[in-house]
Amino acid sequence: MSEAVKQPKQKMSFSQKISSYGTIFAGISLIIIFSILSPDSFATVDNVINITRQISFLVIIALGATLVMSVTEFDLSIGAMASLGGVVSAKLAILGVPIVVSLLVPVVIGFMIGLINGAIVTHFRVLSFVTTLAMGTVIGGFTFWLTGGSTVFENIPESFKFIGQTQLFMIPLLSIIMIILVIVFWYVMTHMTLGRRFYAIGGNEKASEVSGVNINAYKTVAFALCGMLAALTGALLASRLGSAHPTGGDGYFLNAYAAVFLGMTVVRSGIPNIVGTLFGAAILGILANGLTILQVPSFMQDVITGIIIIAALIFQKIGRE
């Protein structure tokens, strides 16, 4: 019998290695650098726990962005949606509504607004970034009217702060919620028909349509889930702070998509995915935490974060060529 000819393994080029492992290497490098520069503050168990709590909001809202991007769409209203979720939950808590209801109502509102976004995009064939940008403006205006442009903080009951400020066995409840949601949506995207349909649409929408996939329905669901997670992020943020600002969620908009794009360079290169988004958010969280400890001005933090994101996208592009 003739022996099977073994095919030599194709070696990865330098650019491919950078594309595949560059972001992970950058994350590890950040940890090492910050640990050396500030070992007493950064490289501690308490700070690690603190980072998980800090990134919990970013991870949750970025999960929604991941779902929408998996069907090759964008939702630019997530920041405004988070602000609305925080204000609504705080207002309900002040009225004496039970904490569970105070958190669920904005989630339902976010889901419904997401359905509207999805319906407009799919049925009227309007570009998603235009539709959601306009919707974000509408939501922002409504939130401003609802609050009079001021922060909601007076008469907020202590019970409302329970989820945002409680720890279980030294682990913040927010971190636990984040982990649960990551696991749930990882399972949805990798083991359920819904997730497979999302990826099929994102991979080849025409082929999916020919094979009988209801493109409009699945895209609308993606927008609805994105709105739900954005509103939940705002509600949890209000619970953590014990207050809600009419623009409190706006700062998470760009960082959410930054986390998704970074994640696309870590796992399943070029494809939005849940695990990658978690890694991307962690890198951004580590960067922000380390720079804050080193007392780097906030504007420089934005500059450095932007450079890292651009570099990651460039390396990913180079690795494909």
Side-chain angles (χ1 to χ4, degrees):
M1 294 179 63
S2 60
E3 295 182 358
V5 178
K6 293 184 178 179
Q7 296 292 334
K9 292 183 179 180
Q10 187 175 3
K11 292 184 178 181
M12 295 177 66
S13 65
F14 177 75
S15 61
Q16 289 175 327
K17 290 180 180 179
I18 289 292
S19 174
S20 300
Y21 308 113
T23 304
I24 296 176
F25 176 75
I28 295 173
S29 298
L30 287 174
I31 294 174
I32 295 173
I33 291 171
F34 290 137
S35 297
I36 293 173
L37 294 177
S38 185
D40 296 333
S41 299
F42 182 83
T44 64
V45 174
D46 288 341
N47 191 50
V48 171
I49 294 173
N50 183 44
I51 290 175
T52 65
R53 177 168 47 208
Q54 289 175 341
I55 69 170
S56 60
F57 307 112
L58 177 57
V59 170
I60 294 172
I61 196 171
L63 291 178
T66 304
L67 301 181
V68 171
M69 284 189 63
S70 70
V71 294
T72 64
E73 301 289 354
F74 287 91
D75 188 344
L76 305 187
S77 67
I78 57 176
M81 200 94 71
S83 299
L84 177 63
V87 167
V88 170
S89 62
K91 287 278 189 180
L92 290 175
I94 291 173
L95 293 175
V97 175
I99 183 173
V100 175
V101 179
S102 297
L103 295 175
L104 286 179
V105 169
V107 168
V108 173
I109 293 175
F111 187 87
M112 297 304 295
I113 295 176
L115 284 178
I116 295 173
N117 280 335
I120 294 174
V121 170
T122 57
H123 291 285
F124 295 100
R125 304 300 178 186
V126 182
L127 293 175
S128 60
F129 72 87
V130 175
T131 301
T132 55
L133 181 62
M135 182 61 76
T137 303
V138 172
I139 296 171
F142 178 78
T143 305
F144 190 89
W145 169 80
L146 193 62
T147 61
S150 59
T151 302
V152 180
F153 66 92
E154 292 184 356
N155 302 319
I156 289 184
E158 289 299 317
S159 59
F160 179 69
K161 305 174 187 177
F162 176 79
I163 291 181
Q165 300 181 6
T166 298
Q167 291 187 345
L168 297 178
F169 305 105
M170 294 182 63
I171 301 177
L173 188 54
L174 288 173
S175 301
I176 296 174
I177 293 173
M178 173 192 71
I179 293 170
I180 292 173
L181 288 174
V182 167
I183 293 173
V184 167
F185 282 99
W186 168 81
Y187 184 83
V188 168
M189 294 299 288
T190 57
H191 290 81
M192 294 183 65
T193 301
L194 180 64
R196 290 195 290 269
R197 292 287 188 269
F198 282 174
Y199 281 131
I201 293 170
N204 192 323
E205 185 171 325
K206 290 295 183 182
S208 299
E209 188 174 12
V210 171
S211 64
V213 176
N214 190 330
I215 306 295
N216 290 356
Y218 281 104
K219 282 194 173 185
T220 301
V221 170
F223 276 103
L225 291 175
C226 180
M228 178 189 76
L229 289 167
L232 175 62
T233 300
L236 293 175
L237 179 63
S239 176
R240 169 63 182 166
L241 300 176
S243 63
H245 192 274
T247 60
D250 291 1
Y252 289 98
F253 159 57
L254 289 177
N255 281 341
Y257 282 100
V260 179
F261 278 115
L262 280 175
M264 289 165 59
T265 68
V266 178
V267 184
R268 300 185 66 174
S269 181
I271 302 175
N273 62 93
I274 301 300
V275 175
T277 295
L278 175 62
F279 272 101
I283 290 173
L284 292 176
I286 291 169
L287 180 63
N289 179 269
L291 293 177
T292 299
I293 289 175
L294 295 177
Q295 299 182 343
V296 175
S298 59
F299 71 89
M300 279 304 300
Q301 293 185 29
D302 294 337
V303 171
I304 295 172
T305 301
I307 291 174
I308 288 178
I309 295 169
I310 293 172
L313 295 175
I314 291 174
F315 287 142
Q316 181 191 41
K317 182 67 176 179
I318 292 174
R320 291 181 181 180
E321 296 177 351

